[in-house]
Amino acid sequence: MFGYVKGYSTCNVTKKKINDESLRELLTIDNNIKNKLEDALSKDAYIVGLKKKKALKCIYIFNKEHDTLIFSEIIKTDEITDKILTAFEKDIIADLTDKVSSKEVSQVDWNDIVIEPDNSLYWLPIGLSLGVLFGIAIDDIAIGICFGVALGCCLGVIVKNK
């Protein structure tokens, strides 16, 4: 994850970042942060942070359990406002959605947000086959294929938004 949020750069937290001086400011908030991060990274956790001038100002920790990322903790300095957190969380959600789409993890649980794979396209072949059958029934395959694509898309939207 690379990007910028209101003057801060976003980054993935790795063992290398833990061992350098980037944790200096977060150590004043939580003395055990280094141990927490090392423990989380040993369990294949996903950790993202906001940094400014090579110093981490905020981190989000997502623990991995049974191929699911579960939000664990946020540690931030007083410098990070709610506006910055909201913008940062949008970037995190986009990155986590990419992880689920690429099947790195099966789902993400973050407080009241659950990110699952999008299965709406699985309905397209079903709708297409029903449309072809409909086209055969009325002796017009072109209309049947059009009907099938529309039916598949509608079923996908209905299933996705239920």
Side-chain angles (χ1 to χ4, degrees), residues 84-110:
I84 295 170
L85 279 180
T86 303
F88 185 41
E89 287 176 357
K90 286 180 184 176
D91 284 353
I92 294 172
I93 289 172
D95 194 45
L96 291 172
T97 303
D98 288 343
K99 285 188 172 304
V100 171
S101 296
S102 65
K103 299 189 182 195
E104 290 180 44
V105 293
S106 61
Q107 78 176 38
V108 176
D109 292 331
W110 183 358

Side-chain angles (χ1 to χ4, degrees), residues 120-136 138 140-157:
S120 60
L121 289 178
Y122 295 136
W123 288 94
L124 195 56
I126 294 170
L128 193 57
S129 61
L130 288 174
V132 169
L133 290 175
F134 177 73
I136 291 171
I138 64 168
D140 194 352
I141 295 294
I143 291 176
I145 290 174
C146 292
F147 175 75
V149 170
L151 180 65
C153 291
C154 290
L155 288 173
V157 169

